[in-house]
Amino acid sequence: MSGRSMSGSGTGWSGYTGSSAEESPARCVLAGTQRHEDAGFLIRSAAGGHLAAYRALRRESFVREQGLFAGSDADDIDDDPRCLVLVALAPDGTVLGGVRLAPATTPDLGWWTGSRLVVDPRTRAKGLGPALVRAACALAEDNQVLRFEATVQARHEPMFTRLGWVRLGERPVAGVPHVWMRWPIDRIERQALGAKAMLAQALAPLRAQPMGLGGQGFRGDDGAPVPGSDLIAACDAILPSMVERDPEWAGWCSVLVNVNDLSAMGADPVGLLDAVGAPNHSVLTRVLRGLARAAEAWRVPVLGGHTQLGVPAALSVTALGRTDRPVRGGGGVVGDELRLTADLGGGWRPGYTGRQWDSTSWRTGEELRELGRFVARTAPAAAKDVSMAGLAGTTGMLAEAAGVGADIDIARVPRPAGASVAEWLTCFPGFAVLTADRPGTAVAPAGPAESATCGVLTAEPGVRLRWPDGTTTTAVHGTVTGLGES
């Protein structure tokens, strides 16, 4: 793992030479238009002659005018094929300024840095510096970046602060005062809270009864113990839009998500009940075809249910499983190791790139059942399957149920080559389960899945990401569901 320190000589936006235009609102397509008047420039990716002009402008500013570098300001980032450069062009094609951004690690873990922001002091275009910064932020997020930082000259800190950047500390460069700053990216928190934050308020009326929401110790779990038995019940619904768009896949997933819920509690599936609504015979047939194929793969019978035709698309499945030792989601304690066991095979489901990883539809039934027995054979202190809240959000739910927090070591998370870190932390991953237990506790074979310790439960609420340089960033502040300890 090789990182690029933002404290190195000239790796930040140290050479930016601004003017009173800093106070002007940015007016370009990438920066977000605030007025309809012509800004006098266009920001676009650099190539060919524009790239050469940008580098010439850098040399003029950083080497000759400011004396930050001797001879040349070029560095290894310029030679990195992953480096992206944005330039601002006048109507006649003249390069008025530019900025570059690139991954800070190999492989790319979603930590990028911005640097070499420069604006031609002769230009009269207003708001050019802020526009380039905003464009770089937008481009970083478009490239699945989770941590975006820069080292800027102290005199330009107010501009970056107005743009929403956060000060992290001081980092002198070449004897000139500089400030280390970060662009806050809340992709993970928005996704996790969007999926789960409404639960506490919505489910409040159901908590009054003794066994409401699973009862003490299992409240908010993936499945619920059935009183007076060794049965575990789980229920999941599929988004109506997904049922309409991809009926057979919806049928398959209705079994997948329920079996995952049972598996996370260490239960063997024994039966399913389905409720299907369809606007026509075609949708109904395809939903049931996918559901039947999945039921056969996992060897779990559909015991009955409800079917209705001529209604809006709807699909939900209830699953029953059996175990006399259910694994709680909230069974972890501070200091427990956090482990991800995930099937990295397969790829993005067509039409759901970045959102749904299909690791199951091509597996044999024997492989799927082997995966489903992992938690039961391991018997960890806590377990939770990764749901639509994503890996980071589900980590927050597991920690919340235990009344603790969690740190995730980004570099140690098992991840398929076809998914970025940001996508993998927020998508539905097919089969993936989080477990927590004391350090050094043995785990069972994971079949075709990969399994690795990738974090720890902490006393501080929320979820944090730990990066190769030792820095932590907050992915989720506080709780995810609001349901609290189980």
Side-chain angles (χ1 to χ4, degrees), residues 163-176:
L163 293 174
W165 286 64
V166 178
R167 188 182 203 272
L168 302 176
E170 297 180 356
R171 285 189 170 179
V173 176
V176 178

Side-chain angles (χ1 to χ4, degrees), residues 154 157 161 165-170 178-182:
E157 180 184 353
T161 299
W165 286 64
V166 178
R167 188 182 203 272
L168 302 176
E170 297 180 356
H178 282 68
V179 178
W180 179 29
M181 305 194 76
R182 178 180 298 147

